[in-house]
Amino acid sequence: MTALSHLRQLEAESIHIFREVAAECQKPVLLYSIGKDSSVLLRLAQKAFYPGPIPFPLLHIDTGYKFREMIEFRDRYTAELGLKLIVHTNHAALNGGANPFAWGIQRCCGALKTTALLDGLRAGGFDAAIGGARRDEERSRAKERVFSFRNERGQWDPRNQRPELWNIFNTHIRPGESLRVFPLSNWTELDVWQYIHAENIPVVPLYFAKLRPMLVRGDTLLPLEQPFIPRLPGEQTQLVKCRMRSLGCSPCTGAIRSDADTVPRIIEELIGMRRSERQNRVIDHDQDGSMEIKKQEGYF
Amino acid sequence: MAAPALATQDAFEEFLERERTKDLLRFTTAGSVDDGKSTLIGRLLYDSRNVYEDQLESVTKASLGRNAGVIDFSLLTDGLRAEREQGITIDVAHRYFSTPRRKFIIADTPGHEQYTRNMVTGASTASLAIVLVDARKGLLPQSRRHAYIAALLGLRHLVVAVNKMDLVGYDAAVFRQIEEDFRAFLREFPSIHPYFIPVSALCGDNVVARSSNMPWFEGLSLLDYLEQVPVAGRTHAAAFRFPVQRVVRPDRDFRGYAGTVASGRVRVGDAITVFPSCKRTTVTAIITFNGNPKEAQAGEAITLALSDDLDITRGDLIASAANSPTTASSIRATLVWLDEAPAELNRRYRLKHMARQEWTELKAIDYRININTLARESAPALEMNGIGAVRLEAARPLTFDPYAQHRTTGSFVLIDPVTNATVAAGLVQGPAEESSFARPSLRTANAINWQIQNGALVISTTRPGGFSARNGNSSGSAITDEGTLQTFHALLEKLGVSLF
Ligand SMILES: Nc1nc2c(ncn2[C@@H]2O[C@H](COP(=O)(O)OP(=O)(O)O)[C@@H](O)[C@H]2O)c(=O)[nH]1
Ligand SMILES: [Mg+2]
């Protein structure tokens, strides 16, 4: 027999990680963020526990500003798979007027994502949160462990991480502390799409190119789902053939011009792509090392 | 990323098919601070077109701040702010890139004080190490350490990259001297297949393409070598090993055992043995989400159904009936100490070995390896970055193969029960006694059985080969009550079984 292909090896390693969490953690939860990585995560969880059910609930941190198509997909797909979905939103901040324009991106993310996540985890009493982050997404993620330790306040200390050897994971924590677990650590964006293709995994239609109304500002294509997005004088939306490369909150996620309307075309586009996946995520641009800072504060 | 010309849809389908079947190579880097590890990896990513423009822009900006005129490729891998500010690598960073032939996972490890700990961590999942040598400095004591750690962790392939060739005028003699010196001490590590290559990470010579600056070098470029080095490990040919991760019982009718095949292969109908109980049964089905194959191989995550309803739990090891692992509570192992608090004799640690966790006590430190001379030294303690040969006593028996034969069944970590820190990486050498059977302890109640048969005391163990002993007088004369304990001790002695 020949060696397993890279996708089969990645798949088996992720399944191993899922099974370790289920066996060793008291109350895990899967952080479901609706994007392509989450879709892959769900398929891997199904495989890990088959023929049994996925033995933990899903938690979605809904900022209130996700794309409508994401929420539709979330509700349809999780119902179809018969999964238990918990949705947590920081309503106090939303009622207080939180949005990226009124509050600034940092403060808005802090309230609607980081605080909401920590509150959601605490409310559920979860000791392990499984997420779809990949090490290739961002430089500081490259240092993250598969089982990443967080203190009582959900904070990450990059200089003081547990060494992780072979495929043996240390899941021991004290009450109040928690783990973030990343089964897709070793996957790249290309691996994810190849796997979606090989396994025929459903993803949100926003990933596929079609004509969509956008505000065109230089290189940026801004979707207009929220009323508070300020328009420049005389600015009108235009119909642009485009798609989302990564999904987040609609006011902070730019689209890319694209004709890729099928998974193979997305893969083809990706191979020729010269810019990284996160460049259309406005949120990472605030300051050098901003992801590292957010993670130290408790962000995923 | 390298974009092949995908002229037609057919060509693209073909491309997708090739992508689906490409394999995976994990490697790690080693070298002293400033030998150019991060630069080499940055260069490998950049020249194989695995770096995106915006990533390059962000590191180019940072380089300007740090006074360099050219792109500082090390900034592509040194991701933490403190690292970029101080120009050092703090922790093991993982990098990914792929070519049309292979996907690569790199563990980039820093070369400063914590170096043993980091290199061991990076090497634990790698099948190849790139060791950098600065052409101007030649061989340093640490080069020997790198080779030692690579061999210890079971890496077969070692690439010795003689870097900064641009600073020695691309001189063939410099390279050849270093190669000769390095080969001389690699004789101590016969398991290692070395490959020597002169490079300049900064200028890109021999990294992705052969360099015209060194026409005297006739070997493959670094990337070409990495693309063709064989990866199919020993695990495929080895005996079947399957650590049970979870018992799957979705309903009353089904009971299965989930895990990943650690080595060998398994087919429906195979006879297997469950350790440490030594119960035997056969495989009735291999279950996966995508259907039930007749056969599964090393690396696959599956669920096994067995013909008998045995008491099997997480942490048990299922193995081929023909070729069994060793079971013992008392083991000899090499420990690499990872924690700031040194190892303490007679202290209890949690031992995690595959899916099994046991309390264990550190019984003895037989010697410590001097990482510079490789000499064995007596050691009262084992400190951070220390490597030592030790004996451990587990509360219940462990089933293992020696690490040199099996990476998965032969590796473990120790966890401090107070701080929960991962304090040591462990490589099993074997049972603690010279005999092929371990010295089990009576505390491990299920390992030892004793009964009185026809007036003779019979002690046996449930381990493979199930050895037993009876008191000398097997003709049937009764043991008196007073004599029982004495006879018992005598037999234990004979068996090499300790009371504690
Ligand atoms: N001239 C020259 N300088 C190099 C070369 N490779 C690395 N360097 C420089 O050596 C220094 C240390 O490199 P770095 O990659 O950070 O080393 P590391 O500590 O091993 O990761 C940096 O200033 C690099 O620019 C090379 O091939 N030639
Ligand atoms: Mg470095």
Side-chain angles (χ1 to χ4, degrees):
Chain A
M1 257 184 226
T2 53
L4 292 182
S5 74
H6 77 291
L7 282 183
R8 293 296 151 216
Q9 284 189 58
L10 292 173
E11 174 188 69
E13 285 172 16
S14 303
I15 290 174
H16 172 84
I17 293 161
F18 265 118
R19 289 170 171 172
E20 283 299 288
V21 187
E24 294 208 336
C25 299
Q26 301 275 322
K27 202 173 177 195
V29 68
L30 192 150
L31 286 181
Y32 179 65
S33 63
I34 320 178
K36 60 184 190 303
D37 302 313
S38 285
S39 282
V40 167
L41 214 50
L42 278 187
R43 173 60 55 88
L44 292 166
Q46 285 181 291
K47 291 195 179 199
F49 303 111
Y50 181 84
I54 296 177
F56 35 71
L58 272 47
L59 174 63
H60 178 227
I61 302 303
D62 189 352
T63 58
Y65 296 136
K66 299 294 169 188
F67 289 93
R68 277 185 297 273
E69 282 178 78
M70 289 172 72
I71 303 300
E72 280 162 26
F73 179 89
R74 175 193 76 187
D75 293 341
R76 180 164 36 81
Y77 193 49
T78 55
E80 204 177 293
L81 299 184
L83 301 171
K84 181 175 186 282
L85 173 73
I86 303 165
V87 176
H88 188 93
T89 301
N90 186 347
H91 290 291
L94 278 180
N95 293 336
N99 82 49
F101 295 92
W103 283 30
I105 288 171
Q106 270 202 13
R107 202 174 142 218
C108 183
C109 270
L112 298 183
K113 287 183 171 174
T114 307
T115 305
L117 172 63
L118 297 177
D119 289 349
L121 292 177
R122 200 171 309 118
F126 300 115
D127 62 339
I130 305 160
R134 292 176 280 109
R135 288 187 183 132
D136 87 320
E137 272 178 86
E138 205 274 339
R139 276 185 294 180
S140 71
R141 293 232 196 255
K143 311 265 164 167
E144 179 99 54
R145 302 295 188 258
V146 175
F147 282 67
S148 185
F149 176 81
R150 300 299 156 104
N151 68 14
E152 307 80 1
R153 282 182 289 163
Q155 291 163 325
W156 182 58
D157 180 0
R159 299 201 67 155
N160 192 17
Q161 302 192 74
R162 293 174 178 173
E164 214 159 60
L165 295 110
W166 298 290
N167 62 354
I168 310 177
F169 301 108
N170 175 354
T171 59
H172 290 278
I173 51 171
R174 294 186 201 145
E177 298 169 342
S178 62
L179 295 170
R180 305 280 167 88
V181 184
F182 303 110
L184 302 183
S185 286
N186 289 329
W187 296 57
T188 62
E189 187 184 14
L190 188 59
D191 296 329
V192 165
W193 280 112
Q194 283 176 352
Y195 192 70
I196 287 169
H197 180 58
E199 296 277 323
N200 213 357
I201 297 172
V203 292
V204 183
L206 285 164
Y207 285 114
F208 301 109
K210 76 172 200 191
L211 287 172
R212 295 186 169 90
M214 292 279 156
L215 282 182
V216 182
R217 292 182 181 165
D219 289 342
T220 307
L221 301 179
L222 202 59
L224 246 197
E225 285 211 1
Q226 297 297 336
F228 52 73
I229 294 181
R231 295 201 205 192
L232 307 174
E235 197 177 32
Q236 292 295 325
T237 59
Q238 302 171 22
L239 276 180
V240 184
K241 187 95 184 265
C242 63
R243 66 178 201 90
M244 300 293 158
R245 194 164 166 202
S246 62
L247 290 180
C249 297
S250 72
C252 288
T253 311
I256 55 169
R257 287 177 194 273
S258 168
D259 290 319
D261 53 2
T262 64
V263 176
R265 288 205 182 114
I266 288 175
I267 295 173
E268 189 171 8
E269 181 186 273
L270 213 53
I271 291 163
M273 195 80 84
R274 291 159 68 213
R275 303 193 75 83
S276 80
E277 171 182 15
R278 298 198 78 88
Q279 57 127 7
N280 292 87
R281 284 266 184 119
V282 183
I283 57 165
D284 287 352
H285 283 293
D286 325 337
Q287 69 195 100
D288 192 28
S290 64
M291 173 69 89
E292 183 185 341
I293 295 166
K294 279 210 271 291
K295 281 165 60 65
Q296 286 177 11
E297 288 163 354
Y299 179 64
F300 218 71
Chain B
M1 296 187 183
L6 306 170
T8 67
Q9 198 53 32
D10 277 0
F12 184 64
E13 291 294 330
E14 228 179 273
F15 163 79
L16 275 182
E17 196 44 47
R18 243 186 300 129
E19 283 288 302
R20 264 208 291 275
T21 56
K22 75 183 176 191
D23 60 18
L24 178 61
L25 176 72
R26 290 168 194 264
F27 65 91
T28 186
T29 54
S32 312
V33 187
D34 284 349
D35 281 351
K37 296 176 297 298
S38 300
T39 308
L40 183 69
I41 290 171
R43 177 54 86 171
L44 211 46
L45 299 182
Y46 179 72
D47 284 0
S48 62
R49 312 227 283 138
N50 278 271
V51 176
Y52 294 118
E53 267 175 12
D54 53 318
Q55 292 171 332
L56 204 59
E57 276 159 24
S58 72
V59 305
T60 310
K61 255 187 274 170
S63 309
L64 289 178
R66 250 180 68 197
N67 80 37
V70 287
I71 298 169
D72 185 345
F73 291 102
S74 69
L75 294 177
L76 286 172
T77 60
D78 292 342
L80 299 176
R81 279 184 310 150
E83 293 176 316
R84 293 200 293 281
E85 281 155 22
Q86 296 163 33
I88 52 160
T89 310
I90 287 171
D91 201 340
V92 182
H94 289 88
R95 289 284 142 197
Y96 306 85
F97 74 103
S98 54
T99 67
R101 295 176 69 172
R102 246 179 205 170
K103 171 178 167 110
F104 297 92
I105 300 183
I106 316 170
D108 180 21
T109 64
H112 53 92
E113 339 91 56
Q114 305 250 319
Y115 141 92
T116 300
R117 167 188 151 130
N118 287 317
M119 183 176 169
V120 167
T121 304
S124 71
T125 52
S127 49
L128 176 148
I130 300 181
V131 172
L132 274 93
V133 177
D134 186 326
R136 295 169 304 175
K137 297 183 189 154
L139 272 202
L140 296 175
Q142 40 279 41
S143 311
R144 192 182 167 111
R145 291 190 223 162
H146 301 142
Y148 170 72
I149 292 174
L152 179 71
L153 272 287
L155 274 58
R156 291 296 188 79
H157 301 283
L158 195 74
V159 174
V160 180
V162 179
N163 189 32
K164 308 198 184 182
M165 287 301 292
D166 56 306
L167 297 181
V168 296
Y170 298 107
D171 184 354
V174 172
F175 171 71
R176 300 234 159 87
Q177 185 61 49
I178 292 172
E179 171 170 1
E180 196 176 302
D181 295 348
F182 212 117
R183 277 194 195 278
F185 74 67
L186 275 182
R187 279 189 217 113
E188 290 174 66
F189 311 108
S191 60
I192 284 189
H193 304 281
Y195 180 71
F196 292 86
I197 182 166
V199 298
S200 167
L202 195 69
C203 312
D205 299 284
N206 287 338
V207 176
V208 165
R210 289 265 305 272
S211 164
S212 56
N213 289 322
M214 290 174 274
W216 46 265
F217 176 71
E218 295 184 337
L220 299 172
S221 74
L222 178 61
L223 185 63
D224 285 343
Y225 180 77
L226 294 174
E227 278 192 316
Q228 60 85 56
V229 66
V231 285
R234 301 169 277 170
T235 53
H236 288 82
F240 176 61
R241 299 285 185 266
F242 182 82
V244 175
Q245 251 186 310
R246 292 182 80 236
V247 178
V248 186
R249 227 168 340 184
D251 53 61
R252 253 186 252 157
D253 300 331
F254 181 80
R255 192 185 168 93
Y257 307 96
T260 300
V261 181
S263 63
R265 61 177 72 176
V266 60
R267 289 184 198 84
V268 173
D270 277 358
I272 53 98
T273 308
V274 183
F275 292 91
S277 68
C278 289
K279 289 179 183 129
R280 292 178 176 222
T281 182
T282 52
V283 175
T284 53
I286 299 169
I287 293 136
T288 78
F289 181 86
N290 298 74
N292 297 355
K294 289 275 163 274
E295 181 176 58
Q297 63 166 330
E300 290 187 278
I302 55 172
T303 297
L304 290 180
L306 305 174
S307 59
D308 301 281
D309 238 343
L310 302 177
D311 180 19
I312 299 174
T313 58
R314 170 172 165 82
D316 287 354
L317 180 69
I318 295 177
S320 60
N323 184 338
S324 46
T326 308
T327 300
S329 320
S330 208
I331 57 169
R332 283 180 299 112
T334 302
L335 284 190
V336 181
W337 202 257
L338 308 170
D339 200 48
E340 274 174 25
E344 275 177 58
L345 278 183
N346 300 318
R347 190 164 165 217
R348 295 209 312 161
Y349 296 97
R350 294 179 198 274
L351 181 151
K352 187 166 182 192
H353 174 234
M354 297 182 280
R356 199 175 184 87
Q357 290 202 44
E358 294 295 350
W359 284 106
T360 187
E361 229 168 87
L362 180 57
K363 284 302 190 192
I365 302 173
D366 291 335
Y367 55 86
R368 183 174 58 198
I369 306 276
N370 179 319
I371 191 96
N372 295 316
T373 61
L374 306 189
R376 296 174 174 190
E377 299 170 344
S378 73
L382 201 56
E383 264 138 33
M384 180 144 81
N385 293 312
I387 300 181
V390 304
R391 274 171 286 156
L392 293 161
E393 173 89 28
R396 291 184 302 164
L398 302 168
T399 301
F400 56 81
D401 298 285
Y403 184 85
Q405 283 161 32
H406 207 295
R407 249 181 164 180
T408 306
T409 59
S411 57
F412 62 89
V413 300
L414 295 184
I415 297 166
D416 185 307
V418 178
T419 64
N420 288 330
T422 304
V423 293
L427 297 85
V428 182
Q429 291 182 340
E433 292 306 308
E434 290 310 318
S435 71
S436 63
F437 295 118
R439 188 184 178 110
S441 146
L442 276 191
R443 275 195 307 187
T444 61
N446 70 347
I448 307 282
N449 299 312
W450 61 91
Q451 55 186 155
I452 296 179
Q453 283 176 2
N454 301 326
L457 177 64
V458 179
I459 301 180
S460 60
T461 73
T462 50
R463 68 195 57 258
F467 63 90
S468 65
R470 46 178 59 227
N471 63 332
N473 187 355
S474 53
S475 61
S477 74
I479 303 172
T480 66
D481 270 327
E482 309 89 85
T484 306
L485 200 63
Q486 228 180 327
T487 316
F488 194 59
H489 277 287
L491 283 180
L492 288 177
E493 197 53 45
K494 202 161 136 192
L495 279 176
V497 172
S498 75
L499 264 175
F500 296 106

